């Protein structure tokens, strides 16, 4: 009597143990996790809002099952503090066992996570941060945003041909600002222009007033500006309030300053500002019109900016890598499948350079104009297939 009971119990226990182990393992096997670490609050919150919305839109449009796997997005708020980014990425790798890390609102966040990506062989899809060197920080980094050298050089070619001979540069004092300063200023000088002064403003809680006063005194033909997404409206406001434009000083910059997330609220003082960048919500392609419409419908009329397009395309790169590795790829296979991807984005044709894992794309010159009562960056010239000039050492 004893034996059968205990055998039954043992069998039942064994079956339960197997089921208990197998169930989560199988569920785990069928899920493909993307850990999206973004600044959802704090100074860079618009970047997080834009990228999360774009990633969700991509999934709504393309389904959440790829190569037999259920794609799961895990969004974490790093408040744009790199120590937080690193801690959250570590948890996502160890506890959640994510297949891919993505997001990275600012350069210090991307650089903080790169060593973890290398150690754990986890692809790190950088959707926002834009300092040239980030792709060199780990062989697991793939970038879908842009680089500041890529955006700046086109403007330094345009400016001297358009009456701008002398400039002062004003940049945020960290990676992307230093890249913008270096590449814009060198190219200006190379083109026969003159850089009167290179000013750097703190990245956190910047006060632009004393810097703009200095620029007024120096009276260059133009002020070249780089500030990260979200800070452009403050610069534009103070530039107008100080009557810099009336003093004959033009404002030019990378498109971060006339960010589509804020542009429409900047007021008419911003009309005529020329910038260079890889994405405008006014980009006149069918695909972009559909993208902007769908994004606005899904997000209470919020206009997508260049961060959104980095997030949207980053999801495409991940989905295609998952598809082409038939759901069986580990980190190395996924990165290999991300390299060389070429496709039409809402910004135009882009590809992921197989050598550098960085994005190659068209850079547009744009001018702020009013269309149907709204302010837009209207493209008027294009430089095709621009590779990151920061890589050519
Ligand atoms: C960056 O930190 O790399 C960064 C952030 C915002 C931008 C551009 C670059 O608009």
């Amino acid at each position: 009597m004893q034996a059968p009971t205990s055998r039954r119990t043992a069998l039942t226990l064994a079956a339960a143990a197997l089921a208990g182990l197998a169930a989560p393992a199988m569920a785990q096997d069928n899920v493909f996790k993307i850990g999206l670490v973004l600044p959802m609050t704090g100074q860079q919150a618009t970047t997080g809002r834009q990228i999360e919305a774009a990633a969700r839109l991509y999934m709504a449009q393309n389904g959440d099952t790829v190569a037999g796997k259920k794609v799961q997005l895990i969004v974490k708020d790093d408040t744009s503090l790199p120590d937080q980014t690193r801690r959250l990425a570590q948890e996502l790798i160890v506890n959640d066992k994510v297949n891919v890390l993505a997001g990275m609102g600012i350069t210090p966040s991307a650089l903080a996570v790169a060593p973890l990506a290398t150690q754990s062989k986890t692809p790190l899809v950088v959707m926002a941060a834009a300092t040239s060197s980030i792709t060199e920080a780990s062989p697991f980094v793939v970038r879908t945003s842009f680089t500041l050298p890529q955006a700046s050089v086109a403007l330094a070619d345009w400016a001297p041909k358009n009456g701008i001979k002398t400039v002062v540069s004003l940049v945020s004092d960290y990676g992307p600002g230093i890249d913008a300063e270096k590449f814009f200023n060198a190219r200006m000088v190379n083109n026969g222009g003159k850089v009167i002064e290179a000013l750097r403003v703190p990245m956190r809680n910047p006060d632009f007033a004393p810097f703009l006063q200095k620029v007024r005194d120096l009276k260059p033909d133009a002020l070249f500006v780089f500030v990260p997404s979200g800070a452009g409206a403050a610069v534009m406001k103070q530039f107008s309030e100080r009557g810099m434009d009336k003093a004959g000083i033009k404002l030019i910059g990378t498109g971060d300053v006339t960010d589509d997330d804020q542009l429409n609220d900047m007021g008419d003082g911003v009309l005529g500002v020329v910038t260079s960048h890889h994405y405008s919500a006014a980009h006149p392609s069918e695909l972009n019109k559909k993208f902007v419409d769908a994004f606005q419908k899904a997000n209470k009329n919020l206009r997508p900016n260049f961060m959104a397009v980095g997030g949207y395309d980053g999801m495409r790169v991940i989905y295609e890598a998952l598809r082409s590795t038939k759901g069986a790829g580990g980190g190395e296979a996924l990165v290999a499948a991300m390299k060389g991807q070429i496709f039409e984005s809402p910004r135009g044709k882009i590809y992921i350079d197989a050598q550098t894992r960085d994005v190659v794309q068209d850079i547009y010159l744009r001018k702020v104009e009013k269309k149907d009562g709204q302010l837009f960056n209207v493209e008027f010239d294009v430089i095709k297939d621009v590779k990151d000039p920061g890589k050519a050492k």
Side-chain angles (χ1 to χ4, degrees):
M1 294 296 279
Q2 281 289 56
T5 313
S6 63
R7 202 162 47 235
R8 246 199 333 266
T9 311
L11 279 174
T12 315
L13 280 176
L18 263 179
L21 280 177
M26 270 181 59
Q28 193 80 12
D29 272 0
N30 281 325
V31 177
F32 185 88
K33 294 184 185 174
I34 303 172
L36 190 60
V37 189
L38 289 168
M40 302 306 299
T41 54
Q43 193 177 302
Q44 247 56 49
T46 56
T47 295
R49 174 176 67 167
Q50 287 272 350
I51 293 182
E52 183 185 4
R56 295 209 185 280
L57 176 63
Y58 189 88
M59 292 181 73
Q61 289 175 334
N62 294 278
D64 63 358
T65 307
V66 182
K69 303 252 176 179
K70 190 106 179 137
V71 179
Q72 188 189 342
L73 200 61
I74 307 174
V75 180
K76 299 280 180 191
D77 177 13
D78 67 5
T79 68
S80 88
L81 295 175
D83 285 348
Q84 293 294 334
T85 326
R86 189 193 296 108
R87 186 181 61 75
L88 293 167
Q90 177 91 34
E91 281 174 15
L92 286 164
I93 294 166
V94 175
N95 300 343
D96 296 291
K97 304 201 171 21
V98 292
N99 301 86
V100 172
L101 285 165
M104 309 294 123
I106 55 169
T107 290
S109 294
L111 292 178
V113 174
L116 301 181
T118 307
Q119 282 156 25
S120 63
K121 298 192 191 317
T122 308
L124 174 59
V125 177
V126 174
M127 297 168 159
T131 300
S132 175
S133 62
I134 291 171
T135 42
E136 287 154 332
S138 166
F140 287 85
V141 169
V142 172
R143 174 155 43 199
T144 57
S145 52
F146 73 110
T147 79
L148 266 304
Q150 197 175 43
S152 304
V153 163
L155 192 63
D157 286 341
W158 174 86
K161 291 188 219 138
N162 288 276
I164 296 171
K165 304 291 182 205
T166 59
V167 294
V168 170
S169 60
L170 174 64
V171 302
S172 255
D173 190 6
Y174 78 118
I178 291 160
D179 267 3
E181 175 193 281
K182 182 169 158 202
F183 280 83
F184 179 84
N185 289 355
R187 189 73 159 219
M188 265 309 276
V189 170
N190 214 34
N191 288 333
K194 187 165 176 230
V195 179
I196 301 175
E197 184 124 11
L199 303 172
R200 294 181 184 176
V201 50
M203 188 238 171
R204 305 258 175 215
N205 307 312
D207 175 10
F208 298 109
F211 293 93
L212 292 177
Q213 189 52 50
K214 180 139 200 213
V215 175
R216 227 196 127 119
D217 298 341
L218 291 167
K219 279 198 189 342
D221 294 332
L223 170 66
F224 167 78
V225 177
F226 165 78
V227 287
S229 184
V235 178
M236 284 311 315
K237 186 164 175 282
Q238 295 195 24
F239 189 84
S240 302
E241 276 172 9
R242 287 175 178 267
M244 310 276 288
D245 42 353
K246 296 195 183 66
I249 303 167
K250 291 195 176 70
L251 188 141
I252 57 174
T254 57
D256 310 71
V257 73
T258 55
D259 185 345
D260 271 307
D261 186 272
Q262 300 182 321
L263 180 62
N264 214 14
D265 299 321
M266 288 187 195
D268 286 357
V270 77
L271 280 169
V273 169
V274 172
T275 55
S276 53
H277 228 207
H278 56 292
Y279 179 68
S280 163
H283 179 61
S285 72
E286 272 313 302
L287 185 67
N288 186 47
K289 281 187 193 126
K290 282 195 190 131
F291 170 67
V292 173
D293 280 354
F295 190 94
Q296 292 194 314
K297 271 204 189 87
N299 297 285
K300 300 195 183 100
N301 234 16
L302 176 69
R303 188 192 286 182
N305 71 357
F306 61 97
M307 293 302 187
V309 94
Y312 192 74
D313 292 342
M315 290 299 287
R316 194 272 184 198
V317 166
I318 297 167
Y319 264 51
E320 282 310 310
L322 178 56
R323 206 185 315 277
S324 69
T325 54
K326 302 190 167 50
E332 274 161 339
L334 287 168
V335 169
M338 291 177 186
K339 291 179 184 177
Q341 281 194 32
I342 177 163
F343 59 98
E344 196 195 346
S345 146
R347 62 186 112 170
K349 188 194 83 185
I350 70 170
Y351 71 93
I352 304 298
D353 187 316
Q355 253 93 52
T356 62
R357 291 162 277 102
D358 219 337
V359 58
V360 180
Q361 58 195 332
D362 296 348
I363 296 294
Y364 305 88
L365 287 158
R366 317 95 51 84
K367 182 185 272 178
V368 178
E369 289 176 15
K370 209 169 233 180
K371 282 188 3 183
D372 305 324
Q374 295 200 39
L375 296 170
F376 283 102
N377 293 297
V378 177
E379 295 165 359
F380 64 86
D381 203 357
V382 59
I383 299 97
K384 300 294 259 183
D385 297 329
V386 181
K387 289 191 177 194
D388 172 31
K391 301 287 187 303
K393 297 235 167 67

